[in-house]
Structure formats: C-alpha cells, structure tokens
Amino acid sequence: MSKTPMRLSLARLPTPLWTVAGLPRGPFGDLPILVKRDDLTGAALSGNKVRKLEYLLAEAKARGARRVLTTGAIQSNHCRATAIAARQLGLGSLLFLRVPDTPPPAGLETGNLRLARLVGAEVRFITPAQYEHRDALLAEAARDGDYVIPEGGSNALGSYGYVAAAEELAAQWDASPTAILCATGSGGTLAGLTMGVRRLGLDIPVFGIVVGGTAEAFRLRVAAISQEAHARWPELPALAPADVLAIDGWAGLGYALSTAEEQADLTAVARATGLILDPVYTAKAFRALLHDPARFGERPLFVHTGGIFGLLA
Ligand SMILES: Cc1ncc(COP(=O)(O)O)c(C=O)c1O
C-alpha cells in the first residue's frame, strides 16, 4: 500500500451536508436535494479549491517553495484561493489571468481578482491564445523556489482532495444518494469524487456537469488524471474515459457567460431555499437537477463548490 500524500489543514472540515427542500423536481415532486456545502470551506479562502490546495501546497512547502505559480480566467476562484492560501503559508503568488480583451483598470478590479490583489498576488494578464499554451507558459516562467500548480489545481495530487471528500461525505449521509453531481471546469473535482466513491466500494454514479468545453474532452482529461493518481497511489482506481460521467448541455452560452434562464434559476433557488449559487459554475450545474431530474433519481446529492465572488464581480 502506498503512502497517502501529505496534507495541510486549510479548509474548515467537515463541511455541512444540507437537506434542501422546496424545489419542484418533476416526477420527484419536491423531494429534497442533499447539498454538500463545500462553498463553506472558509470565507475568503473558500470553495472546492481549498481541498485541492491542502495537498498541493503541502508538497510546495515540503519542496521549500517560496512562490506559487498558477493560471485561470480573470475571475478564477482557483487563482484567488491559491493566492490567499499561499499568503497564509508565507508564500508569494504569481497568477497568469486570461482576459478576453483589455484588462480592467486597476481601480475597477472586482470579485476574485480584487481579493487576489489584496493579498499581494503578482498578476500578469494573458490572451486566450496564450492561454492555449498555459502549461508551457507556467513552466517557462518558473524559477528556483517556484511551485507550479496547473489550471484549477486539477492534477492527480489536487484531485486527492476530493478522494478524501468522498470519505467525508459517506460518513455524513443517512441513506446513500441516488447520484452525486458537481460542476466541472477543469476536471479535478470530478476525478477525485469518482475515484473516492469507487474506492469506498459504493455503486453511486458521480456526474460532472460541464460548464465550459465538452464532455468528451473531460472524459479523457479525468481518465488521465485518475491514471496518474493510480500510478502514484495504486489503491485508487484507474478510470477509463467510459467510467467518467461528464455531461454536456448545461454550459449555455459558454464559460462565464450567463443566459436569462440561468439567472432566473439562480434567483429562484435563492428565493425558495436561501441557497446562493454562483453564475459561472454551480448555477449551471444545478439546472441539470431542476430540468432533467429523472436522470439523477429521487435522492440526488449536489456538491456546492463555491464561487460566491464571481457573483459579486
Ligand atoms: C466554484 C467552482 N465550482 C466548480 C469548479 C470546477 O471544479 P474543477 O475545476 O475541479 O472541475 C470550479 C473551478 O473550476 C469552481 O471555481
């Protein structure tokens, strides 16, 4: 048996498992939805990324890193969480942020970017064309003392955070859910949850609702993450692309773009339940539960992965 990876304590765990009632779900009437509140892993340092960073930054510290490099979109939750966690550990950060056009004037920076700036992150704006080559860009920029984290923290080590989360979850529910769902943006959460659920011997489908890109691409990507994880920790299953339940159809206009229907559902859920979703990830994913309930059975469990600052950007 291989050693489990080193872990730092950054998240407030276990996060609560809520039972949310009052939402109409077709054949299941208003049967409640279980919601794993991973938006509550902390305040400014919150959301799903914190679970990944517990492992990634443990490795960074063990290697004696002084600065962390990573990349994402201008309102990346991952980049904000990385910058804050790094600072809490006494490390600097350099963020390569993708901007559609020209970067915002410094004084007008909002949401995640504002928080990253506040903790002193160094920011470089990059174009969508540069972002295509993000791994090479990070590798090229890295100097002695730098630790590189890929987009979304979604490599084998980062995904281990959700292998551990599956164990946390299984100790919380009274009866097994009929399905587990999460938003999928870079694949690490889906990879970790799918491996974690299988490792526990549970026969529960784990669905990743794709919020940008295609399900086909994520089947390959998540399988690749899991194969890397299996090579390092053989007790984790090596997933084939066909084992990965990535779902298309809920990305709307595409990454970080909202439709009127998405905004209306985000508002309706908030008003009916008090649960606040974010427009980029969780509102899109939650819509699968509202509009295609039959697919997920009578007792679905939604992993709320955070993203509140995107709502305020
Ligand atoms: C709020 C939120 N939810 C879901 C995701 C998707 O998780 P993953 O990148 O592990 O697919 C992200 C990041 O991409 C996120 O910031």
Side-chain angles (χ1 to χ4, degrees):
M1 183 77 66
S2 65
K3 262 178 57 181
T4 55
M6 289 172 296
R7 176 181 191 172
L8 291 169
S9 174
L10 296 170
R12 300 185 65 85
L13 301 178
T15 56
L17 182 62
W18 267 27
T19 302
V20 173
L23 293 168
R25 288 194 304 117
F28 305 118
D30 64 355
L31 278 182
I33 294 171
L34 297 173
V35 179
K36 177 65 167 166
R37 296 291 310 273
D38 270 13
D39 53 323
L40 299 181
T41 49
L45 178 57
S46 60
N48 61 336
K49 305 306 175 188
V50 191
R51 289 190 188 268
K52 301 177 183 184
L53 289 166
E54 289 196 332
Y55 290 91
L56 293 162
L57 293 178
E59 184 172 85
K61 287 294 276 184
R63 290 190 184 168
R66 294 186 298 281
R67 186 174 74 157
V68 179
L69 271 52
T70 197
T71 187
I74 183 165
Q75 279 298 330
S76 163
N77 295 301
H78 160 69
C79 289
R80 175 257 312 158
T82 300
I84 296 174
R87 181 56 78 214
Q88 290 181 1
L89 297 169
L91 308 176
S93 58
L94 169 57
L95 310 177
F96 291 88
L97 299 181
R98 184 184 74 218
V99 286
D101 196 338
T102 43
L108 294 180
E109 291 173 350
T110 59
N112 285 297
L113 177 54
R114 183 165 182 190
L115 288 166
R117 289 277 201 203
L118 198 59
V119 294
E122 205 182 319
V123 172
R124 292 196 201 148
F125 293 110
I126 59 173
T127 63
Q130 288 174 301
Y131 195 74
E132 293 286 311
H133 307 285
R134 53 195 172 274
D135 290 336
L137 195 102
L138 288 170
E140 219 168 89
R143 304 277 173 268
D144 257 9
D146 284 343
Y147 181 83
V148 172
I149 297 180
E151 174 195 57
S154 287
N155 57 13
L157 185 58
S159 74
Y160 209 99
Y162 272 89
V163 171
E167 215 171 304
E168 182 181 305
L169 253 180
Q172 286 179 309
W173 61 54
D174 299 324
S176 282
T178 46
I180 297 175
L181 291 85
C182 65
T184 292
S186 64
T189 305
L190 179 59
L193 283 173
T194 308
M195 289 189 286
V197 163
R198 286 203 175 197
R199 184 181 65 156
L200 295 171
L202 298 168
D203 187 19
I204 302 168
V206 180
F207 292 97
I209 316 300
V210 172
V211 302
T214 66
E216 188 49 42
F218 277 110
R219 280 183 207 111
L220 296 173
R221 192 159 169 185
V222 168
I225 294 171
S226 107
Q227 279 153 26
E228 188 195 330
H230 173 72
R232 287 180 75 169
W233 307 288
E235 65 275 19
L236 300 185
L239 304 172
D243 299 324
V244 179
L245 304 179
I247 298 183
D248 277 325
W250 303 99
L253 296 173
Y255 181 75
L257 301 170
S258 283
T259 63
E261 290 80 8
E262 289 167 9
Q263 292 287 351
D265 280 344
L266 188 155
T267 304
V269 169
R271 293 197 176 162
T273 68
L275 188 71
I276 310 290
L277 301 170
D278 82 291
V280 180
Y281 296 94
T282 52
K284 290 186 192 232
F286 204 84
R287 295 187 80 236
L289 272 181
L290 297 176
H291 298 287
D292 188 14
R295 187 161 191 178
F296 308 106
E298 62 176 20
R299 197 176 150 76
L301 188 157
F302 182 80
V303 181
H304 190 327
T305 41
I308 183 87
F309 303 114
L311 191 61
L312 306 175

